[in-house]
Amino acid sequence: MSLPERDDEVSLRHAESITEVLARIHSELEDIARRIDHNQAMIARSTWNIGAIDEDYVKAMQDADLSAQRIAGVAEFLRAIGDATHPHWRIDTTAATGTLKLTELIRSIGQAGLDIQAKDEDAAGDVDLF
């Protein structure tokens, strides 16, 4: 799989290694999985004595654990694809980066080297308090 041939010089100029793109996504997914695990442990430590008798609570805690495992699995899957990818395959992720709303996510997985700011972080829920 390689970047389709086209006359769009901008796309060619922004094309980057698919291996690098997949590595960034892999890293972000691993970080998300770690955060879920950490948060679940913190919540359980504070609430398990009371919540353990609630079947919905236990299911929610198990679901959080499964979500972390699934995200980590997808991360490893992408790493393996990246390892198998030809080093000359390139892709322009500018349009995909433009769909991201959170500045931190843009910086971690978005088009490498582009100075892009989030469009509307407040609407994206960058800091949701409940």
Side-chain angles (χ1 to χ4, degrees):
M1 174 193 283
S2 63
L3 186 68
E5 287 187 29
R6 49 185 162 170
D7 295 328
D8 186 358
E9 292 180 21
V10 173
S11 283
L12 294 175
R13 186 172 54 236
H14 292 294
E16 59 183 317
S17 165
I18 289 176
T19 303
E20 291 174 14
V21 173
L22 291 173
R24 290 195 310 264
I25 297 168
H26 168 256
S27 178
E28 181 66 20
L29 289 173
E30 279 189 330
D31 183 57
I32 292 168
R34 277 190 301 273
R35 287 176 187 220
I36 291 171
D37 274 341
H38 173 76
N39 290 338
Q40 180 201 22
M42 296 300 295
I43 292 167
R45 187 170 59 202
S46 299
T47 61
W48 187 257
N49 289 338
I50 296 170
I53 60 173
D54 181 351
E55 185 177 319
D56 289 335
Y57 170 89
V58 174
K59 285 180 183 178
M61 295 302 281
Q62 289 172 333
D63 187 50
D65 183 55
L66 180 59
S67 293
Q69 291 177 40
R70 291 180 70 178
I71 291 168
V74 171
E76 286 306 308
F77 178 81
L78 290 175
R79 184 197 51 77
I81 290 174
D83 289 348
T85 301
H86 192 285
H88 299 299
W89 290 352
R90 303 181 66 74
I91 190 167
D92 179 359
T93 61
T94 305
T97 298
T99 67
L100 300 174
K101 305 262 187 275
L102 302 175
T103 301
E104 184 178 338
L105 194 56
I106 292 169
R107 290 183 183 135
S108 67
I109 68 169
Q111 174 77 39
L114 289 183
D115 185 23
I116 299 174
Q117 293 297 313
K119 294 175 182 145
D120 190 356
E121 286 186 2
D122 291 331
D126 202 22
V127 182
D128 282 341
L129 300 176
F130 49 94

